[in-house]
Amino acid sequence: MEAVSTNRAFGGVQGVYRHASSATGTDMTFSVYVPPHAEGAKLPVVWYLSGLTCTHANVTEKGEFRAACAELGLIFVAPDTSPRGESVPDDPAGAYDFGLGAGFYVDASEEPYAANYRMWSYVTDELPALIAEHFPADMARQSIMGHSMGGHGALTIGLSCPDRFKAVSAFAPIVAPGRVPWGEKALTGYLGTDRSGWRKHDAVALIEDGARVPALLVDQGGADQFLADQLKPELLEQACADAGIDLTLRIQPGYDHSYYFISTFMADHLRWHAVRLG
């Protein structure tokens, strides 16, 4: 693992790191904020998954999480959203919603994407092992959150691994990718046309099929340009009501899909996570 940069912030260290990934077959870059802590202490870990077109840098530079993480004693990990490199296949038309920057947190089975687009394995297996080895992380206390496509990833991973993640939250998540254009394009391209194979990567379908977590926190901007066509939080609301999951869904008037929205409510989410991480 190579340190690309490290900077002092709020008494802790904000680092950006690069390593050769066996999951994706490429170099991968990620960021980690480690708050101030006593020597030898092990700290809980919050995973943040970013949205379409993003890298680790978007939340690292715009998320405004460090002050809260320093106060609460939380390690904050932000992976990239897809494999990258000259040999990595992209959307044939160069669209923003598939290929580079749009891994959708799945392990692709369709060619030519299967060799590199293994973001599920990267986020749930390879990168956690690296974090446990190189940082003062208490891997018995992990939580996960994300934005948009990353909100989809946080919900599906959290619902699939409820014993690992003590808290799950999202900003403007794609809650039912099998029912919206972004998700239909991505899941078809990565997983094929058999929709039954999509269900484990669809939060609403996972809940319908029996996946459970004690509680979810979702913030959604009321002025989000993608709200009606791509996000559809009402589908998650209905699924949680039917399943008895305690969903806190907050529609924030006037807020859009940007990091102005995310940074406004980031500390709320981190405090919610900290309570559940103990």
Side-chain angles (χ1 to χ4, degrees):
M1 189 181 72
E2 170 194 357
V4 177
S5 64
T6 56
N7 297 93
R8 198 76 173 164
F10 294 95
V13 175
Q14 177 64 67
V16 176
Y17 306 92
R18 183 186 298 117
H19 73 117
S21 167
S22 59
T24 67
T26 66
D27 284 351
M28 294 293 287
T29 303
F30 62 95
S31 77
V32 181
Y33 177 70
V34 179
H37 59 282
E39 185 175 355
K42 293 288 189 178
L43 306 176
V45 180
V46 178
W47 293 85
Y48 179 93
L49 306 184
S50 294
L52 288 168
T53 75
C54 293
T55 70
H56 71 281
N58 296 75
V59 69
T60 304
E61 296 170 3
K62 303 176 185 177
E64 300 185 22
F65 56 86
R66 279 174 285 270
C69 285
E71 175 190 342
L72 300 167
L74 302 173
I75 293 175
F76 191 96
V77 182
D80 203 345
T81 54
S82 79
R84 298 182 191 272
E86 291 184 3
S87 63
V88 177
D90 196 3
D91 184 277
Y96 75 93
D97 56 358
F98 187 79
L100 298 181
F104 261 83
Y105 304 100
V106 304
D107 282 351
S109 57
E110 296 297 296
E111 298 301 337
Y113 306 101
N116 302 117
Y117 284 81
R118 301 185 55 78
M119 291 303 296
W120 181 278
S121 291
Y122 180 70
V123 169
T124 64
D125 184 18
E126 183 177 18
L127 189 55
L130 201 67
I131 297 299
E133 179 181 358
H134 292 282
F135 298 92
D138 181 354
M139 303 305 281
R141 292 189 292 162
Q142 298 182 70
S143 67
I144 192 164
M145 63 195 300
H147 168 234
S148 194
M149 178 187 73
H152 141 76
L155 291 175
T156 56
I157 291 171
L159 285 162
S160 299
C161 308
D163 294 334
R164 182 189 301 191
F165 297 103
K166 308 300 183 186
V168 184
S169 74
F171 300 101
I174 306 169
V175 304
R179 306 190 206 179
V180 300
W182 277 342
E184 288 180 330
K185 176 178 180 178
L187 297 181
T188 299
Y190 294 134
L191 303 178
T193 57
D194 181 0
R195 287 175 174 258
S196 65
W198 299 4
R199 294 186 69 82
K200 64 182 180 180
H201 294 294
D202 182 309
V204 169
L206 279 166
I207 293 170
E208 291 173 349
D209 292 345
R212 297 291 182 267
V213 292
L216 295 170
L217 171 62
V218 172
D219 271 305
Q220 171 64 61
D224 191 320
Q225 65 269 40
F226 303 115
L227 177 56
D229 294 335
Q230 303 282 12
L231 306 178
K232 298 185 181 295
E234 67 276 5
L235 297 178
L236 180 66
E237 188 173 34
Q238 185 61 58
C240 287
D242 293 343
I245 295 174
D246 180 13
L247 169 67
T248 300
L249 173 60
R250 307 191 303 187
I251 306 297
Q252 304 292 358
Y255 284 90
D256 59 17
H257 201 68
S258 72
Y259 269 88
Y260 295 108
F261 158 62
I262 297 165
S263 62
T264 300
F265 302 103
M266 176 66 80
D268 285 358
H269 282 242
L270 291 171
R271 294 183 193 284
W272 191 85
H273 283 243
V275 168
R276 286 154 181 80
L277 288 166

PDB file of all heavy atoms in Angstrom, residues 151-168:
ATOM      1  N   GLY A 151     -25.479   5.134  -2.156  1.00  0.00           N
ATOM      2  CA  GLY A 151     -26.559   4.830  -1.227  1.00  0.00           C
ATOM      3  C   GLY A 151     -27.161   3.470  -1.530  1.00  0.00           C
ATOM      4  O   GLY A 151     -27.466   2.687  -0.619  1.00  0.00           O
ATOM      5  N   HIS A 152     -27.328   3.181  -2.824  1.00  0.00           N
ATOM      6  CA  HIS A 152     -27.734   1.832  -3.244  1.00  0.00           C
ATOM      7  C   HIS A 152     -26.750   0.796  -2.712  1.00  0.00           C
ATOM      8  O   HIS A 152     -27.148  -0.229  -2.129  1.00  0.00           O
ATOM      9  CB  HIS A 152     -27.816   1.781  -4.776  1.00  0.00           C
ATOM     10  CG  HIS A 152     -27.310   0.516  -5.394  1.00  0.00           C
ATOM     11  ND1 HIS A 152     -28.024  -0.660  -5.373  1.00  0.00           N
ATOM     12  CD2 HIS A 152     -26.148   0.243  -6.042  1.00  0.00           C
ATOM     13  CE1 HIS A 152     -27.321  -1.608  -5.981  1.00  0.00           C
ATOM     14  NE2 HIS A 152     -26.187  -1.082  -6.399  1.00  0.00           N
ATOM     15  N   GLY A 153     -25.453   1.046  -2.880  1.00  0.00           N
ATOM     16  CA  GLY A 153     -24.451   0.108  -2.398  1.00  0.00           C
ATOM     17  C   GLY A 153     -24.497  -0.071  -0.896  1.00  0.00           C
ATOM     18  O   GLY A 153     -24.412  -1.200  -0.388  1.00  0.00           O
ATOM     19  N   ALA A 154     -24.635   1.030  -0.160  1.00  0.00           N
ATOM     20  CA  ALA A 154     -24.688   0.941   1.300  1.00  0.00           C
ATOM     21  C   ALA A 154     -25.902   0.143   1.759  1.00  0.00           C
ATOM     22  O   ALA A 154     -25.805  -0.694   2.670  1.00  0.00           O
ATOM     23  CB  ALA A 154     -24.705   2.346   1.900  1.00  0.00           C
ATOM     24  N   LEU A 155     -27.053   0.394   1.151  1.00  0.00           N
ATOM     25  CA  LEU A 155     -28.271  -0.327   1.538  1.00  0.00           C
ATOM     26  C   LEU A 155     -28.153  -1.815   1.213  1.00  0.00           C
ATOM     27  O   LEU A 155     -28.480  -2.670   2.054  1.00  0.00           O
ATOM     28  CB  LEU A 155     -29.485   0.265   0.826  1.00  0.00           C
ATOM     29  CG  LEU A 155     -29.907   1.678   1.250  1.00  0.00           C
ATOM     30  CD1 LEU A 155     -31.046   2.173   0.354  1.00  0.00           C
ATOM     31  CD2 LEU A 155     -30.326   1.726   2.711  1.00  0.00           C
ATOM     32  N   THR A 156     -27.702  -2.152   0.015  1.00  0.00           N
ATOM     33  CA  THR A 156     -27.650  -3.564  -0.355  1.00  0.00           C
ATOM     34  C   THR A 156     -26.588  -4.317   0.434  1.00  0.00           C
ATOM     35  O   THR A 156     -26.823  -5.451   0.877  1.00  0.00           O
ATOM     36  CB  THR A 156     -27.410  -3.729  -1.864  1.00  0.00           C
ATOM     37  OG1 THR A 156     -26.223  -3.035  -2.258  1.00  0.00           O
ATOM     38  CG2 THR A 156     -28.590  -3.197  -2.655  1.00  0.00           C
ATOM     39  N   ILE A 157     -25.430  -3.702   0.639  1.00  0.00           N
ATOM     40  CA  ILE A 157     -24.382  -4.363   1.429  1.00  0.00           C
ATOM     41  C   ILE A 157     -24.807  -4.464   2.885  1.00  0.00           C
ATOM     42  O   ILE A 157     -24.641  -5.506   3.530  1.00  0.00           O
ATOM     43  CB  ILE A 157     -23.050  -3.624   1.268  1.00  0.00           C
ATOM     44  CG1 ILE A 157     -22.513  -3.804  -0.151  1.00  0.00           C
ATOM     45  CG2 ILE A 157     -22.020  -4.120   2.285  1.00  0.00           C
ATOM     46  CD1 ILE A 157     -21.311  -2.943  -0.487  1.00  0.00           C
ATOM     47  N   GLY A 158     -25.381  -3.378   3.432  1.00  0.00           N
ATOM     48  CA  GLY A 158     -25.834  -3.414   4.816  1.00  0.00           C
ATOM     49  C   GLY A 158     -26.919  -4.449   5.042  1.00  0.00           C
ATOM     50  O   GLY A 158     -26.907  -5.180   6.053  1.00  0.00           O
ATOM     51  N   LEU A 159     -27.873  -4.544   4.126  1.00  0.00           N
ATOM     52  CA  LEU A 159     -28.940  -5.538   4.248  1.00  0.00           C
ATOM     53  C   LEU A 159     -28.416  -6.953   4.062  1.00  0.00           C
ATOM     54  O   LEU A 159     -28.949  -7.904   4.655  1.00  0.00           O
ATOM     55  CB  LEU A 159     -30.031  -5.249   3.215  1.00  0.00           C
ATOM     56  CG  LEU A 159     -30.951  -4.072   3.519  1.00  0.00           C
ATOM     57  CD1 LEU A 159     -31.676  -3.616   2.256  1.00  0.00           C
ATOM     58  CD2 LEU A 159     -31.957  -4.433   4.613  1.00  0.00           C
ATOM     59  N   SER A 160     -27.391  -7.130   3.259  1.00  0.00           N
ATOM     60  CA  SER A 160     -26.829  -8.456   3.012  1.00  0.00           C
ATOM     61  C   SER A 160     -25.884  -8.905   4.122  1.00  0.00           C
ATOM     62  O   SER A 160     -25.655 -10.115   4.272  1.00  0.00           O
ATOM     63  CB  SER A 160     -26.073  -8.465   1.673  1.00  0.00           C
ATOM     64  OG  SER A 160     -26.941  -8.164   0.601  1.00  0.00           O
ATOM     65  N   CYS A 161     -25.334  -7.963   4.872  1.00  0.00           N
ATOM     66  CA  CYS A 161     -24.353  -8.290   5.923  1.00  0.00           C
ATOM     67  C   CYS A 161     -24.764  -7.635   7.240  1.00  0.00           C
ATOM     68  O   CYS A 161     -24.006  -6.827   7.810  1.00  0.00           O
ATOM     69  CB  CYS A 161     -22.968  -7.817   5.512  1.00  0.00           C
ATOM     70  SG  CYS A 161     -22.415  -8.362   3.879  1.00  0.00           S
ATOM     71  N   PRO A 162     -25.962  -7.944   7.757  1.00  0.00           N
ATOM     72  CA  PRO A 162     -26.451  -7.232   8.946  1.00  0.00           C
ATOM     73  C   PRO A 162     -25.635  -7.508  10.198  1.00  0.00           C
ATOM     74  O   PRO A 162     -25.637  -6.693  11.127  1.00  0.00           O
ATOM     75  CB  PRO A 162     -27.885  -7.745   9.093  1.00  0.00           C
ATOM     76  CG  PRO A 162     -27.871  -9.089   8.431  1.00  0.00           C
ATOM     77  CD  PRO A 162     -26.920  -8.964   7.290  1.00  0.00           C
ATOM     78  N   ASP A 163     -24.926  -8.637  10.255  1.00  0.00           N
ATOM     79  CA  ASP A 163     -24.108  -8.931  11.434  1.00  0.00           C
ATOM     80  C   ASP A 163     -22.803  -8.138  11.434  1.00  0.00           C
ATOM     81  O   ASP A 163     -22.178  -7.970  12.479  1.00  0.00           O
ATOM     82  CB  ASP A 163     -23.792 -10.428  11.505  1.00  0.00           C
ATOM     83  CG  ASP A 163     -25.032 -11.275  11.733  1.00  0.00           C
ATOM     84  OD1 ASP A 163     -26.002 -10.742  12.308  1.00  0.00           O
ATOM     85  OD2 ASP A 163     -25.038 -12.451  11.325  1.00  0.00           O
ATOM     86  N   ARG A 164     -22.394  -7.654  10.269  1.00  0.00           N
ATOM     87  CA  ARG A 164     -21.141  -6.902  10.181  1.00  0.00           C
ATOM     88  C   ARG A 164     -21.354  -5.412  10.417  1.00  0.00           C
ATOM     89  O   ARG A 164     -20.543  -4.770  11.085  1.00  0.00           O
ATOM     90  CB  ARG A 164     -20.501  -7.098   8.807  1.00  0.00           C
ATOM     91  CG  ARG A 164     -19.168  -6.363   8.672  1.00  0.00           C
ATOM     92  CD  ARG A 164     -18.616  -6.362   7.266  1.00  0.00           C
ATOM     93  NE  ARG A 164     -18.388  -7.693   6.749  1.00  0.00           N
ATOM     94  CZ  ARG A 164     -17.717  -7.926   5.616  1.00  0.00           C
ATOM     95  NH1 ARG A 164     -17.219  -6.917   4.903  1.00  0.00           N
ATOM     96  NH2 ARG A 164     -17.552  -9.159   5.181  1.00  0.00           N
ATOM     97  N   PHE A 165     -22.441  -4.866   9.865  1.00  0.00           N
ATOM     98  CA  PHE A 165     -22.640  -3.420   9.903  1.00  0.00           C
ATOM     99  C   PHE A 165     -23.701  -3.058  10.939  1.00  0.00           C
ATOM    100  O   PHE A 165     -24.856  -3.459  10.822  1.00  0.00           O
ATOM    101  CB  PHE A 165     -23.026  -2.907   8.514  1.00  0.00           C
ATOM    102  CG  PHE A 165     -21.945  -3.136   7.495  1.00  0.00           C
ATOM    103  CD1 PHE A 165     -22.041  -4.170   6.574  1.00  0.00           C
ATOM    104  CD2 PHE A 165     -20.802  -2.350   7.484  1.00  0.00           C
ATOM    105  CE1 PHE A 165     -21.049  -4.400   5.645  1.00  0.00           C
ATOM    106  CE2 PHE A 165     -19.793  -2.570   6.567  1.00  0.00           C
ATOM    107  CZ  PHE A 165     -19.916  -3.603   5.636  1.00  0.00           C
ATOM    108  N   LYS A 166     -23.283  -2.292  11.933  1.00  0.00           N
ATOM    109  CA  LYS A 166     -24.152  -1.951  13.061  1.00  0.00           C
ATOM    110  C   LYS A 166     -25.118  -0.827  12.727  1.00  0.00           C
ATOM    111  O   LYS A 166     -26.088  -0.618  13.461  1.00  0.00           O
ATOM    112  CB  LYS A 166     -23.302  -1.540  14.266  1.00  0.00           C
ATOM    113  CG  LYS A 166     -22.220  -2.526  14.649  1.00  0.00           C
ATOM    114  CD  LYS A 166     -22.772  -3.894  15.004  1.00  0.00           C
ATOM    115  CE  LYS A 166     -21.664  -4.837  15.457  1.00  0.00           C
ATOM    116  NZ  LYS A 166     -22.170  -6.212  15.658  1.00  0.00           N
ATOM    117  N   ALA A 167     -24.850  -0.094  11.658  1.00  0.00           N
ATOM    118  CA  ALA A 167     -25.736   0.993  11.244  1.00  0.00           C
ATOM    119  C   ALA A 167     -25.634   1.144   9.731  1.00  0.00           C
ATOM    120  O   ALA A 167     -24.572   0.920   9.146  1.00  0.00           O
ATOM    121  CB  ALA A 167     -25.366   2.304  11.943  1.00  0.00           C
ATOM    122  N   VAL A 168     -26.758   1.536   9.112  1.00  0.00           N
ATOM    123  CA  VAL A 168     -26.822   1.722   7.664  1.00  0.00           C
ATOM    124  C   VAL A 168     -27.615   2.996   7.387  1.00  0.00           C
ATOM    125  O   VAL A 168     -28.719   3.166   7.911  1.00  0.00           O
ATOM    126  CB  VAL A 168     -27.513   0.532   6.962  1.00  0.00           C
ATOM    127  CG1 VAL A 168     -27.468   0.719   5.448  1.00  0.00           C
ATOM    128  CG2 VAL A 168     -26.887  -0.792   7.374  1.00  0.00           C
TER     129      VAL A 168
END
